[in-house]
Each structure stands twice: as C-alpha cells, then as structure tokens.
Amino acid sequence: MTNSHPVEAIIGAVEPFLGTVLSSMKERGIDISGKEIDHVCFRCTTIEEYLAVCKDIIDGNLGTVMIESMIGGRPITTIKLFDPINYKEYDIACIEIPCPKPGKSHSAGLEHCEIVIGEANDSPLNNRARLEGFMAMYPSISDFDTKAIDKDINADVCLPVSGGYSVKFHLRPLYEVIVFEQDQGSVVPVPEGYFTRGTPAVV
C-alpha cells in the first residue's frame, strides 16, 4: 500500500492508479523491479483547472515548479514534490501537469506514469537503439506506441494498459531532463498573455 500523500487531495488517490498500471504490466510480463517511476501525469479538463491545480500544489507547500514550458503546442508544468509519493518500493518525485490544448477535450485525472529504463551514464538525448532494445525484450507485445521514439530529447515509447491509462518508458528521469534542457537553452517559454487571450480548451 501507499502512504497517503497530501497532494492526493488535489490530484486524487494514487494507489488505485498505480496498482492498475503495475498489475497490467505484470500480466504482460514486464518487470520493472529496481526501476524508478519518476513521475505521474495529471490531466486537466480546462485551462482554469490547470492553473488551479498548479496553484493548489504550490500554495499548499507541497512542491516547487521545476519548469513551465510549451511542449506540443500547450504549456506543461512539472512540479517536484518536497516529499515524494511513496508506493510500495517506489518513490515518485514529480507530477507533470499538462494544460489542455485549445480545441481538445480531456477527462480530468491521473493519466500515465513514466518509468526510467536507462542507466546513470545515459544521456537525455535520443537513443532510439536503447528503446528498441527494451521493446525487443517483449516480442509478444505488439501495441507499443513509438510516435515519440525519435524525439531529440527525452524520447520514449508508450504502452496502453488497463483502465484507459498508459505507461511510458524513457532513459532518464524527468527532473534530470529538465535540468539538461535548461542548461542547453532549449526550453520554450509560455508566451506572455497565453492564459488571458480567450482560447480556453473545450470542456
């Protein structure tokens, strides 16, 4: 069982979400023993909800914003928790909160988690061969989503699991990737006035 974390009052219970994800992976033969779950992703329905969730976590003194940047045409905030979420042997350091894209509709709630499959000396830069090698370990699984396998930074492969959730596999934890991007000057800032220009997401 997980120890209840104060952030769950904002993003919902983590235990049933991770329980479903990990059980589904186990059923498909994927072993993540000794790996790190570096973050969970919480989807918001509207811009207003996105702003409120980020504010509630920060105002509640539960974590600090590592970054808010434009990714895939909308802002995404990553918050590093002061105290990680504990689930079984896993300590989850971060929460990723995407803002809905204009014109797109999402259900609010936990959506995916990401698992680090690389080693400490791996770079956040793309290493397609390592991700392909990981998938090759599971030849019976045919539904890996590889649309992000060629990203220049923090490439990943994604697997849908039970409950409408998904799990992504990448080489280095998100909090390291963010520092790398900041050092490289590759962060795309949110345009001034983005949240006040009248382009709310579809509810």
Side-chain angles (χ1 to χ4, degrees):
M1 292 183 64
T2 185
N3 296 318
S4 180
H5 192 289
V7 79
E8 293 180 276
I10 301 168
I11 67 170
V14 173
E15 180 177 354
F17 162 70
L18 287 178
T20 297
V21 171
L22 296 185
S23 293
S24 182
M25 283 195 292
K26 184 176 181 180
E27 289 170 0
R28 305 188 74 176
I30 297 178
D31 180 12
I32 63 165
S33 301
K35 305 298 183 185
E36 178 184 3
I37 302 175
D38 63 324
H39 74 273
V40 295
C41 175
F42 180 84
R43 285 280 189 180
C44 298
T45 304
T46 63
I47 287 178
E48 292 76 14
E49 183 180 33
Y50 165 80
L51 294 171
V53 167
C54 294
K55 183 176 186 298
D56 287 348
I57 295 174
I58 299 306
D59 287 354
N61 198 34
L62 301 176
T64 185
V65 174
M66 289 199 73
I67 195 169
E68 182 182 45
S69 63
M70 295 297 289
I71 301 174
R74 84 296 203 191
I76 296 182
T77 291
T78 298
I79 295 175
K80 190 168 187 180
L81 298 167
F82 295 134
D83 295 310
I85 298 169
N86 305 121
Y87 179 76
K88 296 186 175 179
E89 69 266 38
Y90 303 102
D91 291 327
I92 302 159
C94 295
I95 300 173
E96 181 182 68
I97 308 167
C99 185
K101 292 182 180 180
K104 296 291 185 179
S105 176
H106 299 287
S107 298
L110 291 163
E111 182 205 52
H112 73 259
C113 65
E114 299 202 20
I115 297 170
V116 181
I117 60 170
E119 305 296 337
N121 60 349
D122 282 323
S123 167
L125 294 173
N126 179 286
N127 191 331
R128 181 186 179 113
R130 291 291 302 279
L131 295 172
E132 288 179 333
F134 171 76
M135 291 187 292
M137 295 168 58
Y138 306 101
S140 65
I141 298 177
S142 61
D143 54 343
F144 278 110
D145 183 339
T146 60
K147 66 183 178 184
I149 197 170
D150 286 320
K151 285 170 56 181
D152 291 335
I153 300 175
N154 197 32
D156 67 69
V157 294
C158 180
L159 184 68
V161 294
S162 300
Y165 304 131
S166 61
V167 57
K168 297 182 181 182
F169 304 92
H170 58 173
L171 294 183
R172 299 308 305 147
L174 183 58
Y175 50 83
E176 287 186 12
V177 174
I178 289 169
V179 172
F180 178 85
E181 290 177 321
Q182 291 168 332
D183 289 345
Q184 296 294 309
S186 59
V187 174
V188 179
V190 177
E192 185 176 353
Y194 181 92
F195 298 112
T196 58
R197 63 187 183 187
T199 56
V202 173
V203 177

